[in-house]
Amino acid sequence: FRRVLFRSLGLLPAGAERGLAVRGLRNRMVHDYQRNPEVLAQALNAAHDSVSMLVDFALACRAYLASRGMDG
Protein backbone atom coordinates (compact mmCIF):
# COMPACT_ATOMS: atom_id res chain seq x y z
CA PHE A 1 0.00 0.00 0.00
CA ARG A 2 2.72 2.50 0.93
CA ARG A 3 4.60 1.85 -2.28
CA VAL A 4 1.50 2.61 -4.36
CA LEU A 5 0.70 5.72 -2.31
CA PHE A 6 4.25 7.09 -2.46
CA ARG A 7 4.44 6.43 -6.19
CA SER A 8 1.07 8.03 -6.86
CA LEU A 9 2.23 11.16 -5.02
CA GLY A 10 5.46 11.21 -7.02
CA LEU A 11 7.55 10.60 -3.92
CA LEU A 12 8.96 7.20 -4.80
CA PRO A 13 10.50 6.77 -8.22
CA ALA A 14 9.98 3.54 -10.10
CA GLY A 15 12.54 0.92 -9.13
CA ALA A 16 12.91 2.26 -5.59
CA GLU A 17 11.30 -0.68 -3.82
CA ARG A 18 14.58 -1.06 -2.02
CA GLY A 19 13.73 2.14 -0.20
CA LEU A 20 10.78 0.55 1.47
CA ALA A 21 12.96 -2.33 2.59
CA VAL A 22 15.14 0.15 4.48
CA ARG A 23 12.46 0.23 7.15
CA GLY A 24 13.50 -3.27 8.15
CA LEU A 25 17.04 -2.07 8.80
CA ARG A 26 15.89 -0.09 11.78
CA ASN A 27 14.65 -3.22 13.48
CA ARG A 28 17.91 -5.01 12.79
CA MET A 29 19.94 -2.16 14.27
CA VAL A 30 18.11 -1.04 17.37
CA HIS A 31 16.42 -3.93 19.08
CA ASP A 32 17.99 -5.17 22.27
CA TYR A 33 18.03 -8.73 21.00
CA GLN A 34 20.67 -7.78 18.44
CA ARG A 35 23.77 -9.16 20.10
CA ASN A 36 25.50 -10.46 16.97
CA PRO A 37 28.08 -7.83 15.93
CA GLU A 38 28.32 -9.21 12.38
CA VAL A 39 24.57 -8.86 11.80
CA LEU A 40 24.62 -5.36 13.31
CA ALA A 41 27.58 -4.37 11.10
CA GLN A 42 25.75 -5.64 8.00
CA ALA A 43 22.66 -3.63 8.93
CA LEU A 44 24.70 -0.48 9.59
CA ASN A 45 26.50 -0.83 6.25
CA ALA A 46 23.20 -1.32 4.44
CA ALA A 47 21.79 1.74 6.19
CA HIS A 48 24.83 3.80 5.22
CA ASP A 49 24.42 2.71 1.60
CA SER A 50 20.81 3.96 1.72
CA VAL A 51 21.46 7.47 3.07
CA SER A 52 21.34 9.30 -0.27
CA MET A 53 18.10 7.53 -1.24
CA LEU A 54 16.52 8.48 2.09
CA VAL A 55 17.64 12.10 1.73
CA ASP A 56 16.15 12.20 -1.79
CA PHE A 57 12.89 10.79 -0.44
CA ALA A 58 12.80 13.39 2.36
CA LEU A 59 13.44 16.19 -0.12
CA ALA A 60 10.69 14.88 -2.39
CA CYS A 61 8.30 14.86 0.58
CA ARG A 62 9.27 18.42 1.45
CA ALA A 63 8.75 19.58 -2.14
CA TYR A 64 5.39 17.83 -2.29
CA LEU A 65 4.21 19.58 0.87
CA ALA A 66 5.58 22.95 -0.28
CA SER A 67 3.79 22.63 -3.61
CA ARG A 68 0.55 22.32 -1.69
CA GLY A 69 1.24 25.16 0.73
CA MET A 70 1.79 22.79 3.65
CA ASP A 71 5.43 23.61 4.36
CA GLY A 72 4.89 25.33 7.62
Side-chain angles (χ1 to χ4, degrees):
F1 173 75
R2 289 181 181 131
R3 176 181 42 220
V4 173
L5 175 63
F6 291 155
R7 265 218 197 107
S8 69
L9 296 176
L11 302 175
L12 186 68
E17 278 82 16
R18 183 176 158 260
L20 297 176
V22 171
R23 294 178 311 167
L25 290 173
R26 178 201 169 274
N27 291 337
R28 292 185 2 220
M29 291 186 294
V30 302
H31 285 294
D32 290 337
Y33 62 78
Q34 187 52 261
R35 304 269 188 237
N36 183 332
E38 288 182 29
V39 173
L40 179 59
Q42 290 171 355
L44 289 170
N45 286 330
H48 181 266
D49 292 342
S50 301
V51 167
S52 64
M53 180 199 50
L54 293 170
V55 169
D56 290 344
F57 178 72
L59 292 173
C61 290
R62 176 190 269 176
Y64 174 83
L65 293 172
S67 73
R68 284 151 182 79
M70 299 184 283
D71 58 343

mmCIF file of all heavy atoms in Angstrom, residues 18 25 28-29 38-51:
data_model
loop_
_atom_site.group_PDB
_atom_site.id
_atom_site.type_symbol
_atom_site.label_atom_id
_atom_site.label_comp_id
_atom_site.label_asym_id
_atom_site.label_seq_id
_atom_site.Cartn_x
_atom_site.Cartn_y
_atom_site.Cartn_z
ATOM 1 N N ARG A 18 13.558 -0.872 -3.039
ATOM 2 C CA ARG A 18 14.585 -1.061 -2.021
ATOM 3 C C ARG A 18 14.421 -0.055 -0.880
ATOM 4 O O ARG A 18 14.698 -0.362 0.270
ATOM 5 C CB ARG A 18 15.963 -0.919 -2.658
ATOM 6 C CG ARG A 18 17.074 -1.174 -1.699
ATOM 7 C CD ARG A 18 18.425 -1.112 -2.431
ATOM 8 N NE ARG A 18 19.436 -0.831 -1.454
ATOM 9 C CZ ARG A 18 19.955 0.378 -1.244
ATOM 10 N NH1 ARG A 18 19.581 1.394 -1.961
ATOM 11 N NH2 ARG A 18 20.863 0.558 -0.316
ATOM 12 N N LEU A 25 15.715 -2.265 8.227
ATOM 13 C CA LEU A 25 17.042 -2.066 8.796
ATOM 14 C C LEU A 25 16.962 -1.524 10.217
ATOM 15 O O LEU A 25 17.758 -1.891 11.075
ATOM 16 C CB LEU A 25 17.854 -1.096 7.938
ATOM 17 C CG LEU A 25 18.281 -1.608 6.586
ATOM 18 C CD1 LEU A 25 18.930 -0.479 5.799
ATOM 19 C CD2 LEU A 25 19.212 -2.780 6.724
ATOM 20 N N ARG A 28 16.677 -4.232 12.650
ATOM 21 C CA ARG A 28 17.906 -5.010 12.786
ATOM 22 C C ARG A 28 18.977 -4.261 13.558
ATOM 23 O O ARG A 28 19.877 -4.870 14.114
ATOM 24 C CB ARG A 28 18.428 -5.404 11.413
ATOM 25 C CG ARG A 28 17.506 -6.402 10.754
ATOM 26 C CD ARG A 28 17.970 -6.971 9.433
ATOM 27 N NE ARG A 28 19.238 -6.591 8.909
ATOM 28 C CZ ARG A 28 19.454 -6.336 7.612
ATOM 29 N NH1 ARG A 28 18.463 -6.393 6.751
ATOM 30 N NH2 ARG A 28 20.649 -6.033 7.197
ATOM 31 N N MET A 29 18.901 -2.941 13.605
ATOM 32 C CA MET A 29 19.945 -2.160 14.267
ATOM 33 C C MET A 29 19.637 -1.834 15.722
ATOM 34 O O MET A 29 20.552 -1.723 16.523
ATOM 35 C CB MET A 29 20.180 -0.849 13.508
ATOM 36 C CG MET A 29 20.818 -1.049 12.166
ATOM 37 S SD MET A 29 21.253 0.496 11.349
ATOM 38 C CE MET A 29 19.653 1.213 11.065
ATOM 39 N N GLU A 38 28.261 -9.100 13.843
ATOM 40 C CA GLU A 38 28.322 -9.207 12.384
ATOM 41 C C GLU A 38 27.001 -8.791 11.740
ATOM 42 O O GLU A 38 26.994 -8.085 10.733
ATOM 43 C CB GLU A 38 28.682 -10.632 11.974
ATOM 44 C CG GLU A 38 30.124 -10.987 12.260
ATOM 45 C CD GLU A 38 30.466 -12.384 11.796
ATOM 46 O OE1 GLU A 38 29.848 -12.862 10.827
ATOM 47 O OE2 GLU A 38 31.366 -12.985 12.401
ATOM 48 N N VAL A 39 25.888 -9.228 12.331
ATOM 49 C CA VAL A 39 24.574 -8.858 11.796
ATOM 50 C C VAL A 39 24.362 -7.353 11.947
ATOM 51 O O VAL A 39 23.867 -6.688 11.034
ATOM 52 C CB VAL A 39 23.452 -9.658 12.489
ATOM 53 C CG1 VAL A 39 22.082 -9.162 12.072
ATOM 54 C CG2 VAL A 39 23.604 -11.146 12.176
ATOM 55 N N LEU A 40 24.749 -6.811 13.086
ATOM 56 C CA LEU A 40 24.620 -5.364 13.311
ATOM 57 C C LEU A 40 25.473 -4.599 12.302
ATOM 58 O O LEU A 40 25.018 -3.611 11.718
ATOM 59 C CB LEU A 40 25.017 -4.999 14.735
ATOM 60 C CG LEU A 40 24.957 -3.519 15.089
ATOM 61 C CD1 LEU A 40 23.549 -2.978 14.887
ATOM 62 C CD2 LEU A 40 25.425 -3.295 16.517
ATOM 63 N N ALA A 41 26.703 -5.048 12.058
ATOM 64 C CA ALA A 41 27.578 -4.370 11.096
ATOM 65 C C ALA A 41 26.972 -4.408 9.698
ATOM 66 O O ALA A 41 27.021 -3.406 8.971
ATOM 67 C CB ALA A 41 28.965 -5.023 11.097
ATOM 68 N N GLN A 42 26.396 -5.549 9.307
ATOM 69 C CA GLN A 42 25.751 -5.637 7.999
ATOM 70 C C GLN A 42 24.596 -4.651 7.886
ATOM 71 O O GLN A 42 24.424 -3.990 6.860
ATOM 72 C CB GLN A 42 25.254 -7.056 7.749
ATOM 73 C CG GLN A 42 26.360 -8.054 7.530
ATOM 74 C CD GLN A 42 25.849 -9.491 7.509
ATOM 75 O OE1 GLN A 42 24.677 -9.753 7.741
ATOM 76 N NE2 GLN A 42 26.746 -10.417 7.228
ATOM 77 N N ALA A 43 23.797 -4.550 8.942
ATOM 78 C CA ALA A 43 22.661 -3.626 8.929
ATOM 79 C C ALA A 43 23.135 -2.178 8.864
ATOM 80 O O ALA A 43 22.569 -1.362 8.131
ATOM 81 C CB ALA A 43 21.783 -3.848 10.156
ATOM 82 N N LEU A 44 24.167 -1.849 9.616
ATOM 83 C CA LEU A 44 24.701 -0.480 9.593
ATOM 84 C C LEU A 44 25.267 -0.137 8.210
ATOM 85 O O LEU A 44 25.060 0.972 7.707
ATOM 86 C CB LEU A 44 25.773 -0.305 10.664
ATOM 87 C CG LEU A 44 25.266 -0.291 12.100
ATOM 88 C CD1 LEU A 44 26.429 -0.357 13.075
ATOM 89 C CD2 LEU A 44 24.406 0.935 12.364
ATOM 90 N N ASN A 45 25.971 -1.070 7.603
ATOM 91 C CA ASN A 45 26.504 -0.831 6.252
ATOM 92 C C ASN A 45 25.377 -0.656 5.242
ATOM 93 O O ASN A 45 25.447 0.224 4.375
ATOM 94 C CB ASN A 45 27.429 -1.970 5.835
ATOM 95 C CG ASN A 45 28.758 -1.916 6.549
ATOM 96 O OD1 ASN A 45 29.236 -0.855 6.912
ATOM 97 N ND2 ASN A 45 29.371 -3.072 6.757
ATOM 98 N N ALA A 46 24.343 -1.455 5.348
ATOM 99 C CA ALA A 46 23.201 -1.318 4.442
ATOM 100 C C ALA A 46 22.515 0.030 4.653
ATOM 101 O O ALA A 46 22.104 0.684 3.690
ATOM 102 C CB ALA A 46 22.216 -2.463 4.650
ATOM 103 N N ALA A 47 22.394 0.441 5.905
ATOM 104 C CA ALA A 47 21.786 1.744 6.193
ATOM 105 C C ALA A 47 22.633 2.870 5.607
ATOM 106 O O ALA A 47 22.109 3.805 4.998
ATOM 107 C CB ALA A 47 21.609 1.926 7.697
ATOM 108 N N HIS A 48 23.928 2.779 5.765
ATOM 109 C CA HIS A 48 24.825 3.800 5.217
ATOM 110 C C HIS A 48 24.691 3.880 3.701
ATOM 111 O O HIS A 48 24.666 4.974 3.123
ATOM 112 C CB HIS A 48 26.268 3.495 5.611
ATOM 113 C CG HIS A 48 27.235 4.508 5.118
ATOM 114 N ND1 HIS A 48 27.918 4.358 3.940
ATOM 115 C CD2 HIS A 48 27.605 5.712 5.633
ATOM 116 C CE1 HIS A 48 28.681 5.417 3.748
ATOM 117 N NE2 HIS A 48 28.512 6.250 4.751
ATOM 118 N N ASP A 49 24.582 2.732 3.057
ATOM 119 C CA ASP A 49 24.420 2.709 1.602
ATOM 120 C C ASP A 49 23.099 3.326 1.153
ATOM 121 O O ASP A 49 22.950 3.689 -0.006
ATOM 122 C CB ASP A 49 24.497 1.273 1.082
ATOM 123 C CG ASP A 49 25.885 0.668 1.228
ATOM 124 O OD1 ASP A 49 26.860 1.435 1.414
ATOM 125 O OD2 ASP A 49 25.987 -0.575 1.168
ATOM 126 N N SER A 50 22.150 3.462 2.065
ATOM 127 C CA SER A 50 20.814 3.964 1.725
ATOM 128 C C SER A 50 20.617 5.440 2.053
ATOM 129 O O SER A 50 19.549 5.988 1.785
ATOM 130 C CB SER A 50 19.758 3.143 2.479
ATOM 131 O OG SER A 50 19.864 1.788 2.135
ATOM 132 N N VAL A 51 21.616 6.083 2.614
ATOM 133 C CA VAL A 51 21.455 7.471 3.069
ATOM 134 C C VAL A 51 21.020 8.402 1.941
ATOM 135 O O VAL A 51 20.068 9.167 2.095
ATOM 136 C CB VAL A 51 22.743 7.982 3.754
ATOM 137 C CG1 VAL A 51 22.697 9.495 3.949
ATOM 138 C CG2 VAL A 51 22.938 7.291 5.089
#
